[in-house]
Amino acid sequence: MRYHRWFSPWVLVVPALAWLLVFNLWPSINTVILSFTNAKPLGGGTFVGLKNFEALLHDEQLRYALLNSVIYMVVCLPLLTILPLALAVLVEKKLPGITFFRTAFYTPVVASAVVVALIWQWILDDRGLVNGLAEKLGVISGPLPFLSDQWLLLFSAISLTVWKGLGYYMIIYLAALGNVGRELHEAAAVDGASAFRRFTNITIPGVRGTMILISILISVSALRVFSELFILSGGNGGPGGRDSSVVMLIQQYSQGFEGNLGYASALSIVLFFVTVVPMLALARLNRKAADA
Amino acid sequence: MTVVTDPARPLDVPGSSGPAPTRPRRGSYSFNRISPQEKVLRYVLLVLVLLITIGPFLWQLSTSLKASGEDIYTRIPRLLPSQPTFSHYGEVANTIPVWDYARNSLFVAVLVVGGNIVGASLAGFALSRLQFKGRRIVLGLFLATLVLPGEVTIISQYVTVREFGLANTLFGVALPGMIGALNVLLMFNAFRSLPIEVDQAAIVDGANVWQRFVHIGLPSVRGTISVVAIFAFIGAWDDFLWPLIVLTDPDKYTLTVGLQYLSGTFSNNPRLIAAGTMIAFVPIVIVFATLQRFFFKGVEEGAVKG
């Protein structure tokens, strides 16, 4: 009986713990080990010292990828912290049919990034919906090369990411709004505060913590972008590969005879540090704001 | 790993145990009432956002139904097909084995959903309801995993799966995601919100750990289990990067990987690509639309518990 008592909790925990060790913790360590090798996708590979890291320094593709990541983050951050909050305020009130709208606004989130990117590829095509409408309205004379110009392709991918993210962050805000005191709103309304003032003075401070959490999520996911850029560029990273992201480079090196898992692992370590920086910065900001 | 980093997952979905507590409505009636002007404005905005969010899906659906003879490049875009046809769906299936891909995706999704329901609820129960040495360390390990973006470890995860001899297999695609750390923590939270007295009473009555898990624990966390199931399904069905890395044989592709293949082959026929995307999109929408009330209930409960 005694034996049974210390034994049984572990029986329940062991499967999950095994998964954690085998598929999360060990791969984290192994990424570092692999980054010093020239491991191949099909097996094999030897220790090469710091060679991968030296190569990183001269990797032009990586420089473009990092630049794209920064642009991605700088554009996504303000848009995805503010627009979803506005949406959450819009769907917060219980109006007839509001569940339908909430569900519909969430649809882009549940759709696969691949499906979403293929749909937008068709909409942004030279002969697609956007160019067709714009030409009809006489705004442009020839089609805009949304999918073949380096910068237009990048911004197309960004708008797609923003569009797909709206519903996701809306839901997080929606949960947070439930905690913003109804009494405060009422008191302010009685005192004659306009809806706009109540929004800036009560709602925004009320969801400040959520806002910071969301900024962390947005910056990390902006740095991790893959599917949108991959599909929109047709898998090759756009003109001269200048529209690659770090994850696209990792994926590129994961396949075929030319693949190099060692180099892909070194890129993964770059990705780790790139994502940790904004995370720490924003967490610090949060602490400071909380102290003040 | 695919499930942990799934962007479709809400963060604030806590345990949904028992009936939903009703939110106290302290607001006066007049404050809650919306003026007719505001109502109109709100609906106008709602419809506007609706067009932006589901418009592209409708456009794709319409493209997939337009007959080969119909000009899809007209300068005034037509949403309604002049002669709707399902022929492109058949044509997709003739050229790439899209139904096999769908079956592959389903196979992976079922394994991932099953694994997470079983593995995460067992571990969540033990970590929240049972005392044992090392409990806090194990819990800390699960929490620590969440900071790490999945893409960082994806290469060495592939090496691990390859060493198991599962590279280029559907089982290899499913395996790493079968117990997600986040799901363990969700279940941990759900079980923790049950009153401990119930357990104590059951222990006095001679119930063992397994009986307490099956008869007391599980029935009260059904809400969270469904949330875990929904998002495990969506995560597995939608995942692209991981199956793209693991699978090399076209006949083993999942839908997302197959679709990308399709778009490379038929870049000149948007109707076919549209039909393909709809085959991948419709099942997930049906799953979500059917189960969305659990999802939004979870979100609202998060708001109440704060």
Side-chain angles (χ1 to χ4, degrees), chain B residues 149-163:
Chain B
E151 288 83 354
V152 169
T153 51
I154 205 157
I155 291 298
S156 39
Q157 234 167 25
Y158 169 69
V159 171
T160 307
V161 167
R162 191 186 66 194
E163 269 156 22

Side-chain angles (χ1 to χ4, degrees), chain A residues 4 8-10 12-13 15-17 19-20 22-28 30-31 34 40-44 87 89-91 93-116 118-123 127 129 132-133 135-136 163 168 171-172 174-175 178-179 182-183 185-186 189 198 213 217 220 224 226-227 230-231 247 250-251 254-255 261 264-265 268 271-272 275 279, chain B residues 5 7-12 23 25-28 31-32 34 38-39 42-43 45-47 49-50 52-54 56-57 59-60 63 72-73 75-77 119 122-123 125-127 130-134 138 141-142 145 147-149 151-162 164 175-176 178-179 181 184 209 231 234 238 240-241 244-245 256 259-260 263 270 273 277 280-281 284-285 288 292 295-296 299-300 303 306:
Chain A
H4 185 69
S8 45
W10 282 106
L12 305 188
V13 170
L17 191 61
W19 246 261
L20 187 77
V22 174
F23 294 111
N24 292 100
L25 293 178
W26 165 243
S28 318
N30 199 28
T31 302
L34 282 170
K40 296 285 164 216
L42 301 172
L87 272 191
V89 172
L90 185 63
V91 299
K93 275 247 164 75
K94 289 210 168 63
L95 292 167
I98 201 71
T99 319
F100 164 74
F101 286 103
R102 287 180 185 180
T103 315
F105 294 177
Y106 202 78
T107 317
V109 184
V110 296
S112 160
V114 172
V115 165
V116 162
L118 286 172
I119 292 177
W120 280 91
Q121 197 175 37
W122 165 228
I123 291 177
R127 297 190 288 170
L129 185 61
L133 278 175
E135 271 180 72
K136 180 65 206 157
W163 176 78
Y168 177 59
I171 291 296
I172 302 181
L174 199 57
N179 291 329
R182 186 176 283 269
E183 304 80 23
H185 266 288
E186 280 170 48
R198 278 185 280 134
L213 172 75
L217 292 175
V220 172
R224 285 167 36 195
F226 173 73
S227 308
F230 185 89
I231 300 283
V247 180
I250 294 176
Q251 184 271 334
S254 74
Q255 284 172 325
L261 297 185
S265 302
S268 306
L271 181 67
F272 172 72
T275 49
M279 225 180 336
Chain B
T5 58
R9 181 186 298 278
L11 284 162
D12 284 303
R23 189 190 299 185
R25 286 211 170 261
R26 295 196 200 91
S28 63
F31 181 76
N32 285 325
I34 305 172
E38 192 193 335
K39 215 172 195 172
R42 274 179 180 267
Y43 275 113
L45 288 171
L46 285 168
V47 170
V49 180
L50 185 71
I52 298 172
T53 48
I54 69 164
F57 295 110
W59 179 242
Q60 188 80 342
T63 305
I72 52 172
Y73 299 111
R75 282 174 75 192
I76 310 167
L122 287 176
F125 180 79
L127 289 170
L130 307 173
Q131 293 297 323
F132 60 99
K133 266 213 177 90
V138 175
L141 283 178
F142 279 107
T145 319
V147 240
L148 202 69
E151 288 83 354
V152 169
T153 51
I154 205 157
I155 291 298
S156 39
Q157 234 167 25
Y158 169 69
V159 171
T160 307
V161 167
R162 191 186 66 194
F164 288 160
L175 193 68
M178 279 175 63
I179 305 181
V184 172
V209 170
F231 286 96
I234 292 177
D238 286 349
F240 176 49
L241 178 58
L244 184 66
I245 287 179
T256 50
L259 276 180
Q260 176 252 335
S263 83
I273 299 172
T277 52
F281 175 64
I284 206 82
V285 167
F288 184 69
Q292 48 88 16
F295 170 70
F296 287 109
V299 173
E300 299 236 317

Side-chain angles (χ1 to χ4, degrees), chain B residues 79-267:
Chain B
L79 183 63
L80 291 180
S82 58
Q83 289 163 318
T85 168
F86 280 103
S87 65
H88 305 302
Y89 289 82
E91 219 176 312
V92 170
N94 285 340
T95 344
I96 64 163
V98 71
W99 304 117
D100 291 345
Y101 293 165
R103 214 186 42 229
N104 292 346
S105 283
L106 191 66
F107 175 76
V108 171
V110 166
L111 280 183
V112 169
V113 170
N116 275 295
I117 290 178
V118 176
S121 42
L122 287 176
F125 180 79
L127 289 170
S128 60
R129 313 296 291 182
L130 307 173
Q131 293 297 323
F132 60 99
K133 266 213 177 90
R135 191 182 72 98
R136 297 185 77 84
I137 299 170
V138 175
L139 202 55
L141 283 178
F142 279 107
L143 272 170
T145 319
L146 296 186
V147 240
L148 202 69
E151 288 83 354
V152 169
T153 51
I154 205 157
I155 291 298
S156 39
Q157 234 167 25
Y158 169 69
V159 171
T160 307
V161 167
R162 191 186 66 194
E163 269 156 22
F164 288 160
L166 293 171
N168 195 23
T169 66
L170 288 170
F171 195 62
V173 176
L175 193 68
M178 279 175 63
I179 305 181
L182 184 59
N183 294 327
V184 172
L185 292 170
L186 280 173
M187 293 313 302
F188 167 80
N189 254 335
F191 282 117
R192 204 174 47 165
S193 60
L194 310 178
I196 197 79
E197 289 79 16
V198 188
D199 267 357
Q200 284 161 348
I203 294 171
V204 171
D205 289 346
N208 65 24
V209 170
W210 185 250
Q211 287 164 331
R212 269 145 57 207
F213 173 69
V214 173
H215 298 294
I216 300 172
L218 281 185
S220 13
V221 296
R222 275 184 300 219
T224 309
I225 290 182
S226 38
V227 169
V228 165
I230 296 170
F231 286 96
F233 185 85
I234 292 177
W237 185 267
D238 286 349
D239 196 17
F240 176 49
L241 178 58
W242 176 244
L244 184 66
I245 287 179
V246 175
L247 300 173
T248 43
D249 285 352
D251 65 310
K252 294 195 180 112
Y253 282 172
T254 57
L255 256 178
T256 50
V257 182
L259 276 180
Q260 176 252 335
Y261 184 72
L262 176 76
S263 83
T265 324
F266 292 100
S267 46

Side-chain angles (χ1 to χ4, degrees), chain A residues 82 85 177 180 185 198-209 211:
Chain A
I82 294 161
L85 178 58
L177 283 178
V180 179
H185 266 288
R198 278 185 280 134
F199 179 72
T200 52
N201 292 357
I202 301 172
T203 307
I204 291 197
V207 297
R208 208 209 43 167
M211 248 178 174

